[in-house]
Amino acid sequence: MNLYKQYFLVWIFFAGAICAGSNLYAQTNAIDSMEHWLKDNPKLDSQYILTLHRIAYRYSETNISKSFEYYEKVATISDSLNFNYGKSLAQINLALLLSNSANYEGSNESYFKAIAYADSFGVGGLRLKAVSLNNIGENFKIIKDFDKCRQYTREAIPINRNLKAWYGVAVNYELLQRCDLEQNLFKNAKINLDSGMEYALKTQNSYILSQYYRGYGKLQAISNNIDSAEYFFNKALVLANSQNELGNKFQVYKAKAEYLKILPADKRIELLDSALSIAYQTKYMEGISQAAQLLSNEYDLKENKDSSLLYYLIYKKANDSVFSENNRRNMVIKEANWMIRGKEIENAHLKELSAIQKREILFRNVLLLAVGGLLLLIIISSIVINKNIQAKKKHTESELKQRLTEMQMQSIRAQMNPHFIFNCLNSIENFIMRNNKIEASEYLNKFSELIRIMLDSSRVDLASFTKNMEGIRLYVELEQLRFNDKFSFTTDIDPELLNGDYKVPHLMIQPYIENAILHGLSQSEGENLKLFLSAKLKGEYIHYIIEDNGIGRVRSEKYARHNKPEHKSIGIELSGERINMFNQQYNGQGGTEITDLYDENNNPAGTRVTIKVKAV
């Protein structure tokens, strides 16, 4: 590929594609057709609800707000008609939206609700139950919990067999073989492919058959049967082309480039170019990221640094876009959930008021026939009812305040991770620009291990203390590499904390460690520079001490004003808020205290940060 074409690809990415291709046009037509049907058939029945569900599904990957709007309609109408099948569909819609936003825990929660509604519907809900079980397995596969993926996927297989839903059975076995392939269980992967191929052939569905042939191609390539691998990959591509299935075509091109290592480098680059072109056409940001990263690696092997850097920029931009899009989707979903919750509370209050009014009418009718003693009973009943209403209101307000606190914590955590990753990427870039390949490779390996810890921990509100300390250790080792071992790092960790099952907010103290290194130690010209970290369990609290013998805060602030007058750091401020909110959430007292250290001549001798958090 010539340099002009490469720069053209970069321009296309940053400017955005002009159109989404024929598939998006066809999907828009399908949605328009269904919306017209709704206008022509306004009767609220099962067919109306099913059409709303299909529109919500179509919108789930292209317009989150619209998809959520139709999900809400499915849920509201199904609830008003007490139609459990529709309630199950609504939960599946919500689960798809959450999984597309990388909220797999919330997605599985919605799928379990869908299963509960499907079970209450009887035999007619079995298909929805099978779909939900398979998708729960898919979510667990994404987060690398392969045992649970297999557990739920295998529960779906007998249901689909009894329903004679051959396509569903084929999808189940295809998911199982992908789990096996990722764990290098190649024999098991072959068994699952063979088991599912029988059902895939029954469907004669080009989409699922293409996936099976691609799976066989990977296994043959792993076994170094190159001719067989190419045969299966080509069969997969022919089937994908027969229905213009761009997603399958993308996966085949990518698989051939990844698994057929015997191919010449130029051929692998040609395949990856084709995959990247499809990803652009369909606006598949994750695909753009994957293909661009592989292309960057290929050009790096060819020692074509310019091309490698170009595709690395595309990969980084696409990866950032995926992260930002997931955050935006989660914000839309949370905002809409909040509005729905408000409507539910309002409807509950209206129902309570309506019930009270009915009771009051009944009481007045009884009063016409009753004796005076009945009046006292009515008054007592009214007092009890009023107290119940007030108690319910207080309980609802408490739940809302708790939910607000949780959302604020999630918002702060979502801001901190990008801040940390940005600083690490700057360090990697520094090694690459200096062409220090060995240190860059070592840095990248440690960085990837740290990112894995961050991703595992960021999916939950709290992470284990041990996992957090491992993350801190990796981060400090990365900074020691970056600054040529300019400082030493020692720790004093309470064994009870390491051996216990204590939980703390993800990477809570990392910004303070970062501050000590970047603003204290890195700017010092002294010798024997030290960074010390202590963590002790004292009663119901964990006490952290972070101490350095760097230049101190006063000199650091002067340096910042002189060298970076426009820069404003938010890491320490966010971490302080996060610690305070965590302590408030668990009814604890504590916080942070920063102390300037001085030597015997009253010269700045470093900084000590003391942090006190509730032990959970």
Side-chain angles (χ1 to χ4, degrees), residues 89-218:
L89 287 174
Q91 290 300 321
I92 290 174
N93 283 142
L94 179 58
L96 288 169
L97 287 169
L98 291 169
S99 63
N100 286 340
S101 307
N103 185 349
Y104 303 112
E105 182 180 359
S107 176
N108 278 354
E109 182 178 337
S110 292
Y111 280 128
F112 284 126
K113 289 179 181 178
I115 291 172
Y117 285 127
D119 282 341
S120 68
F121 196 75
V123 177
L126 286 176
R127 181 64 184 131
L128 297 185
K129 181 177 182 178
V131 169
S132 298
L133 287 169
N134 185 84
N135 290 357
I136 290 170
E138 184 75 48
N139 283 343
F140 277 122
K141 178 197 165 292
I142 292 171
I143 62 174
K144 308 298 183 184
D145 193 337
F146 299 108
D147 289 338
K148 285 190 176 179
C149 172
R150 293 186 179 95
Q151 174 190 335
Y152 288 102
T153 306
R154 285 170 180 157
E155 286 183 35
I157 291 174
I159 298 175
N160 280 324
R161 278 204 186 112
N162 290 335
L163 294 172
K164 295 185 178 180
W166 309 133
Y167 183 88
V169 179
V171 168
N172 298 149
Y173 278 114
E174 196 276 333
L175 175 54
L176 289 174
Q177 73 87 19
R178 280 189 281 129
C179 285
D180 295 332
L181 199 60
E182 285 202 28
Q183 290 189 290
N184 296 329
L185 303 174
F186 305 128
K187 184 177 180 181
N188 290 348
K190 177 68 163 55
I191 291 172
N192 282 315
L193 275 176
D194 290 342
S195 299
M197 191 61 172
E198 171 188 352
Y199 301 97
L201 289 170
K202 284 184 179 182
T203 68
Q204 285 302 302
N205 182 284
S206 62
Y207 183 85
I208 191 67
L209 283 169
S210 177
Q211 291 181 320
Y212 269 76
Y213 287 128
R214 188 172 76 245
Y216 279 120
K218 290 179 181 179

Side-chain angles (χ1 to χ4, degrees), residues 34 37-38 41-55 74 77-78 81 83 85-86 89:
M34 287 187 285
W37 186 92
L38 291 176
N41 299 273
K43 183 182 178 181
L44 301 181
D45 55 15
S46 60
Q47 189 59 44
Y48 191 93
I49 292 172
L50 288 171
T51 305
L52 289 173
H53 160 72
R54 292 186 182 112
I55 296 174
V74 174
I77 297 173
S78 297
L81 298 176
F83 183 43
Y85 192 93
L89 287 174

Side-chain angles (χ1 to χ4, degrees), residues 271-333:
L271 289 167
L272 291 172
D273 277 339
S274 299
L276 184 61
S277 177
I278 291 172
Y280 276 126
Q281 183 181 350
T282 57
K283 293 188 176 179
Y284 177 31
M285 299 307 295
E286 227 174 314
I288 293 172
S289 172
Q290 294 169 1
Q293 185 181 27
L294 291 171
L295 279 165
S296 178
N297 293 340
E298 289 292 342
Y299 278 113
D300 189 55
L301 291 173
K302 294 184 69 175
E303 297 185 353
N304 187 336
K305 301 302 180 183
D306 289 339
S307 296
S308 179
L309 180 59
L310 280 170
Y311 283 104
Y312 174 77
L313 291 174
I314 296 176
Y315 153 73
K316 186 174 182 297
K317 184 67 177 178
N319 213 38
D320 291 344
S321 296
V322 171
F323 182 83
S324 300
E325 179 63 12
N326 285 342
N327 277 347
R328 186 188 69 79
R329 289 182 172 188
N330 272 320
M331 287 175 63
V332 171
I333 292 171

Side-chain angles (χ1 to χ4, degrees), residues 487-488 516 520-521 524 526-532 547-552 597 604-607:
F487 62 91
S488 64
L521 297 170
S524 174
E527 297 180 353
N528 197 24
L529 296 175
K530 299 178 180 179
L531 175 63
F532 171 73
E547 186 173 311
D548 69 84
N549 62 346
I551 63 175
L597 305 178
T607 307

